[in-house]
Structures are given as structure tokens and as C-alpha cells.
Amino acid sequence: MNHYTIYWVKEEFARFFYYRSDVLYRFLKSYEQHQSREIIARQFHYITLDIPEDMLISNIMQSHPSHANLITEGNSIKIYQEKRCISLHIEQKRINFRGNIIYDAEDLLFPALRSIHPYFFVVGAHPYDFGWIAPVTLERNMDKHEQVLYSHL
């Protein structure tokens, strides 16, 4: 089974790092390896949000069709649907999950996360295996009154 970790990134940092995902990936990997370093730990806690365990479990239960089975034990959840299965372990700042392929999570887990917020970042166990669960919309602050159209004839 493959192992993945999901982090909820604050909106301002998700927007800033959306096209710089490799930088965020390297930082999160560094945090995993050096959690005892105070500066890295403070930065990690500053850019991430706590995982709302009760809300997540509720959204997972609501987003699954009747033929999916959920087993909850404390802060662990197993989701079964036909031959697919993923197991989740919810911590304060991350969700660790295991599954055969990431596409199982796309059907069984990510819709529930997207209903909470789109700024969840997934990191896999393999090098450079990472990404956002949903596209981050980047808005341009343009005032139409300040726009100028030039024409060169």
C-alpha cells in the first residue's frame, strides 16, 4: 500500500505556493525529518491549519454513497467500497492515509475534503509525489477604471 500525508494549508500560503508547489513540498519533507527544530516547527504551525476531525468524519459519511462502508475507531477511519479501501489516521495538523492507488482517495476521500476547503496539499512517500486536491483560484486585482488600452497603427 502507498502512504500519503495531507496538510491543510492556510489560504494566503496556498495562493502563494500554488505554482511553487515544489518549494512547499521540500519544506514539508524537511519538517517531517526535522520536527524538533524550533524554527521549522514554528513555520509549519504558522502555514498550516488544524484538521477538524469531527467535521471531516461527518463530511466523509455524508459524501459516500450507501454502498460504501466506513469503520471509525478513535481518530482512525477505514473506507471500503467494492474492492477499494483506504485507511486514514487523523492527527492535529495532518491526515495520514494508505491506499493502493491515489485514485481510490480521489473517489473516497477528496470530495469530503473539498467540501471543507480546497487548500489541502498531498505529499506521497516517493520523491516528488505531491499536489493539491483542487485547483487554487488566483484572482487578479484589476480595477477596470485604471486599465489602459494602447493601439499602435
Side-chain angles (χ1 to χ4, degrees):
M1 290 198 127
N2 294 313
H3 178 261
Y4 301 92
T5 306
I6 301 172
Y7 301 94
W8 188 0
V9 179
K10 289 181 182 176
E11 182 176 355
E12 67 180 289
F13 298 104
R15 290 180 180 279
F16 182 79
F17 286 111
Y18 183 71
Y19 290 110
R20 301 170 186 94
S21 296
D22 58 322
V23 175
L24 182 59
Y25 165 78
R26 287 193 308 272
F27 170 74
L28 293 171
K29 283 295 192 181
S30 176
Y31 171 75
E32 289 175 1
Q33 295 169 356
H34 306 288
Q35 292 181 27
S36 61
R37 295 173 102 183
E38 185 180 347
I39 291 179
I40 292 175
R42 279 205 259 156
Q43 289 173 340
F44 172 78
H45 288 284
Y46 186 71
I47 69 165
T48 59
L49 294 167
D50 290 347
I51 305 294
E53 185 176 336
D54 294 337
M55 182 190 307
L56 176 63
I57 292 171
S58 173
N59 283 14
I60 289 172
M61 293 173 124
Q62 289 175 358
S63 68
H64 282 20
S66 59
H67 57 278
N69 297 317
L70 274 80
I71 299 172
T72 58
E73 296 175 6
N75 57 356
S76 296
I77 302 171
K78 290 186 180 177
I79 306 170
Y80 299 94
Q81 185 180 27
E82 298 173 2
K83 295 182 180 182
R84 300 183 302 170
C85 173
I86 62 171
S87 62
L88 312 172
H89 180 75
I90 304 167
E91 297 177 14
Q92 178 183 3
K93 291 279 191 178
R94 61 183 160 207
I95 302 168
N96 291 308
F97 77 93
R98 294 185 183 274
N100 288 330
I101 57 175
I102 192 73
Y103 296 109
D104 291 346
E106 179 61 44
D107 292 337
L108 300 174
L109 175 62
F110 293 172
L113 291 175
R114 285 186 196 107
S115 70
I116 295 172
H117 220 269
Y119 306 124
F120 286 95
F121 191 72
V122 181
V123 176
H126 302 292
Y128 298 99
D129 187 12
F130 59 87
W132 298 96
I133 66 161
V136 175
T137 57
L138 300 175
E139 301 166 3
R140 292 186 172 208
N141 294 333
M142 292 187 155
D143 185 4
K144 292 187 178 193
H145 298 289
E146 293 182 16
Q147 291 180 358
V148 178
L149 179 64
Y150 293 104
S151 176
H152 297 281
L153 298 178

